[in-house]
Amino acid sequence: MNIRTLDDLLAEEVKGRRVLVRADLNVPLDKQTGQITDDGRIRAVLPTLGALVQAGAKVVVCSHLGRPKGSPDPAFSLRPVAGRLGELLGAPVHFAEDTVGDSARSTVAGLADGQVALLENLRFNPGETSKDEAQRGAFADQLAALADAYVDDAFGAVHRRHTSVYDVPARLPHVAGRLVLREVEVLGTLTGEPDRPYVVVLGGSKVSDKLAVIEALLPKVDRLLVGGGMCFTFLRAQGYEVGSSLLEEEMVETCRSLLERADGKIMLPVDVVAADAFAPDAPHDTVRADGIPSKRVGLDIGPETVAGFAAALRGARTIFWNGPMGVFEMAAFAHGTRGVAEAIANADAFTVVGGGDSAAAVRALGLDEQAFSHISTGGGASLEYLEGKTLPGIAALEN
Ligand code: 3PG
Ligand code: MG
């Protein structure tokens, strides 16, 4: 990989220079209070920001948050993130009310050496996600005009061909930040020659989202454990009734063919927790995977499945996990995710947690983050990396 790094940039003089850092500060917010519920992505970018502050750069941070539709929407403002970032950095973060307008220009102009500004949500501008090259180009020019150099530390967004990750680096001296480098190094181990047995655990709601990665991983892994909402389409493909559990009918054939080609590598649940409704207090029981009552909905993998998965994980030397095993946000249906997470944490293996949801699950369940070798900040990005796809944000740094 032919990419210049933050250390290369620091080796040049950055004191007094304006450095634009694309971060992925797309953190979950509480719908009622607007409070940040998991600041993992903010903490993940601190090493890069800290190094630039230390070196006396004028640091201009930009990010998206959520999916606003190309115009300002207070529900997706980055303002609360500026506050939290300032607390974590131990110095106030200047917040610009817009991304490339008057407020952004004057905020950046007012920065002293070693100070940090955060621009308002990139996606408040239609140019950020536009498919139109000219529109993206015009927005890229405006962003690039705010800085003298560009650092990409937004690993969670490198799979997007968006202006701030793809077009801006073409206009400024550009390097990869510490987080992007670490992510690429870790995921590179998985696509290279991982220590065996190599076991992958996949969950989450949709098979269709994971199909490409399953195809790419099957030849490489020794075991593929499938839980979460997506397991029901596989169970259906085995001929089982799944009641009112999540089911992607149009994926059943695909799952059947995957099972045929998998040579027994795919492990499916043997029992599931089936409930009367999708609700935290719904009556529920553990049932056999081939005996889900027709009116019930599977919301977690069962204890026997957890034990089987844990046994497979115990002997692994490399583990990648993406996607919760059940509706872990509801205590009654969090046992599967917790059990699998604990088995991964306890394995004597190189362990990588990929994905916003699984990373959030680790923290929400109060598990020790240090017990995992690496917790990726990228959901879609880590999956596309493992699929072997070219990631626009990485390709842009290579040029
Ligand atoms: C994510 O949360 O997956 C990243 O921040 C990318 O966000 P997006 O899926 O809205 O592009
Ligand atoms: Mg996403």
Side-chain angles (χ1 to χ4, degrees), residues 24 26 41 64 67 123 156 160:
D24 182 351
N26 184 22
R41 280 181 163 167
H64 71 286
R67 293 180 178 173
R123 294 185 184 172
R160 302 289 183 218

Side-chain angles (χ1 to χ4, degrees), residues 45 95 99 118 208 241 393:
V45 80
F95 184 66
T99 319
L118 175 63
S208 46
E241 298 299 335

Side-chain angles (χ1 to χ4, degrees), residues 68-93:
K69 301 269 171 277
S71 60
D73 179 343
F76 296 105
S77 175
L78 277 167
R79 187 181 281 282
V81 173
R84 183 74 188 118
L85 180 58
E87 284 168 23
L88 291 166
L89 281 170
V93 166

